[in-house]
Amino acid sequence: MSAALAPGAFRPPRDVWGPFARAAKALDRNSLVVLDARVADLHPRVKSICRKRAGAVVLLSAGERTKTLSALGRILVDGAGLNRGGTLVAVGGGTVGDVSTVAAHLIKRGVRLIHVPTTLLAAVDSSLGGKGAIHSSAGGLTIKNAAGAFHYADACWICPELFESLPDVARRQGAIEAWKMAASLSAPTWNRWRRARPTETQLIREARRLKALVCRADPYEQTGHRRVLNFGHTFGHVVESLTQFRVPHGDAVGMGMLCALDVGRATGITPESVAREVEGVLVERAGVKGRAALGRALSLATPSRVARLLAADKKAGPNESVRMVLLRRVGAWEVRGIDQTLWRGLLRTWMNGARP
Ligand SMILES: NC(=O)c1ccc[n+]([C@@H]2O[C@H](COP(=O)([O-])OP(=O)(O)OC[C@H]3O[C@@H](n4cnc5c(N)ncnc54)[C@H](O)[C@@H]3O)[C@@H](O)[C@H]2O)c1
Ligand SMILES: [Zn+2]
């Protein structure tokens, strides 16, 4: 199907569900596997299959520190051994997936990419949609996803046995991103999940379906439609940066959604009843940490540090405003430019662990 498309060009997702050993029969010597080192330890069979079948295997320690130039450089060194027509296979969570996506874009000006998500977050979100990025550091602040590329995967192998070793904290990160998509994109999904807790397979299938629709409508973030995926991410990225990533991505996005609900109320876009319902369900069902955790996460915040982080973010708007995704109701959203006075007023209350 994708033979005529350049490697990395937009294509609808091709999901292959089943055991890793079965999917990996497609590996050949002209493939490079980038493998999360922890996954290699926890799933030795995966490591041995990759070593046996692929041309080379790069082991990376996952985590935000792997989204750096030095990790990218390690992949590029081994990637030089791929021929054009080669394939990079990223086996890991969102951090290994993101740096591998950039590498796949650069090696030979673009090689085929296959994602094998091993965290729930990667399965519901980061392994779909073509985006990869690394961070940069400037003036003591890490700028999240400062440099990146769009490079769509040829396929995604979803191997449920790989998720069995995930700790609860990692499961929560993925669940929060999936609930984010339901809140912003689909009232029917939201209501179904609210009534009966979804299984992880349901979270993966439905979140991927919702995200795929958004990416199809706006594959390269040109029409603005794709911005909806940033719901919760404006202040989520601030939380991640201020805590030096001690608060993991999903938890930070969860807190960022609470901030977005407050900004939505303050601008009159999110009705109070919607904000209350969404916050309640996110905290009780999706595992989003509440107000006290947000206050702790922001304990090192000052208005000027937050302003610097927001300005460095790709979502910065004109005249020092920041573009935010706000909910009109569940499943309906809009983007608004928020000026500094508004969020500065809310920041104090957030830092006190209270709801404005
Ligand atoms: N590209 C995108 O569209 C997109 C979307 C959402 C998030 N992201 C990015 O994804 C990243 C977060 O991804 P993540 O939450 O997967 O983090 P991660 O890659 O750091 O993985 C979290 C931890 O889980 C471990 N792990 C991975 N698989 C495991 C398994 N099967 N069993 C046990 N442990 C396992 C990892 O070694 C790591 O310690 C962030 O950098 C975020 O910006 C990207
Ligand atoms: Zn995210």
Side-chain angles (χ1 to χ4, degrees):
M1 174 199 67
S2 53
L5 289 172
F10 169 72
R11 66 206 75 205
R14 185 164 68 85
D15 293 353
V16 178
W17 286 74
F20 182 78
R22 189 162 79 205
K25 291 202 171 114
L27 285 176
D28 61 22
R29 304 312 286 177
N30 196 18
S31 49
L32 166 69
V33 175
V34 181
L35 175 60
D36 180 324
R38 181 171 293 174
V39 174
D41 284 345
L42 292 167
H43 300 270
R45 184 132 186 269
V46 168
K47 183 163 71 172
S48 65
I49 291 172
C50 295
R51 286 244 155 93
K52 201 165 113 205
R53 303 190 71 95
V57 178
V58 178
L59 289 179
L60 284 188
S61 303
E64 298 299 330
R65 269 166 303 170
T66 216
K67 289 175 65 169
T68 55
L69 268 181
S70 68
L72 176 63
R74 283 190 52 208
I75 307 175
L76 296 183
V77 167
D78 281 296
L82 286 180
N83 299 326
R84 281 209 109 196
T87 306
L88 190 156
V89 183
V91 186
T95 57
V96 166
D98 275 10
V99 67
S100 299
T101 298
V102 179
H105 193 71
L106 296 175
I107 296 166
K108 310 277 149 138
R109 295 206 178 87
V111 291
R112 267 162 36 102
L113 171 66
I114 290 175
H115 278 298
V116 187
T118 64
T119 63
L120 192 59
L121 183 137
V124 303
D125 193 348
S126 61
S127 62
L128 188 152
K131 272 190 180 181
I134 57 172
H135 311 324
S136 72
S137 294
L141 285 177
T142 300
I143 309 301
K144 168 106 185 163
N145 295 338
F150 278 101
H151 196 84
Y152 278 86
D154 221 70
C156 182
W157 300 345
I158 302 173
C159 312
E161 85 271 17
L162 299 179
F163 307 133
E164 283 164 16
S165 55
L166 283 174
D168 286 347
V169 58
R171 293 177 194 277
R172 187 173 71 235
Q173 308 313 309
I176 290 172
E177 289 274 16
W179 279 88
K180 171 206 79 177
M181 289 186 225
S184 52
L185 289 164
S186 171
T189 306
W190 173 268
N191 289 328
R192 225 173 327 105
W193 288 1
R194 201 182 50 156
R195 283 195 298 270
R197 196 182 290 276
T199 63
E200 283 182 2
T201 303
Q202 283 171 321
L203 284 178
I204 296 171
R205 282 194 195 280
E206 297 217 33
R208 291 180 73 80
R209 183 181 63 80
L210 292 174
K211 182 166 179 182
L213 288 171
V214 173
C215 295
R216 180 190 288 269
D218 186 13
Y220 295 106
E221 224 161 51
Q222 286 169 315
T223 70
H225 186 65
R226 211 177 147 133
R227 286 195 191 132
V228 60
L229 299 172
N230 291 330
F231 180 49
H233 282 60
T234 305
F235 283 94
H237 285 173
V238 169
V239 164
E240 282 184 284
S241 294
L242 286 175
T243 60
Q244 309 264 20
F245 300 102
R246 273 188 297 278
V247 174
H249 182 72
D251 284 337
V253 169
M255 295 178 204
M257 285 194 275
L258 304 187
C259 298
L261 292 172
D262 294 341
V263 172
R265 278 158 57 221
T267 50
I269 290 170
T270 311
E272 170 67 28
S273 58
V274 171
R276 260 193 202 286
E277 184 209 312
V278 172
E279 180 161 346
V281 173
L282 286 177
V283 171
E284 278 150 38
R285 282 278 184 197
V288 168
K289 306 268 184 187
R291 298 286 174 169
L294 175 61
R296 282 193 300 275
L298 291 175
S299 60
L300 292 179
T302 61
S304 66
R305 293 187 85 191
V306 173
R308 271 173 67 204
L309 288 169
L310 290 174
D313 201 275
K314 292 179 296 307
K315 291 175 285 294
N319 304 325
E320 304 200 317
S321 70
V322 61
R323 277 196 296 260
M324 284 185 71
V325 177
L326 306 175
L327 286 194
R328 279 196 270 121
R329 56 179 187 278
V330 171
W333 55 280
E334 70 179 72
V335 174
R336 273 290 175 97
I338 303 301
D339 67 38
Q340 294 213 14
T341 14
L342 193 140
W343 66 255
R344 278 175 188 256
L346 297 170
L347 182 64
R348 251 169 274 134
T349 320
W350 293 335
M351 290 177 73
N352 290 332
R355 184 175 188 265

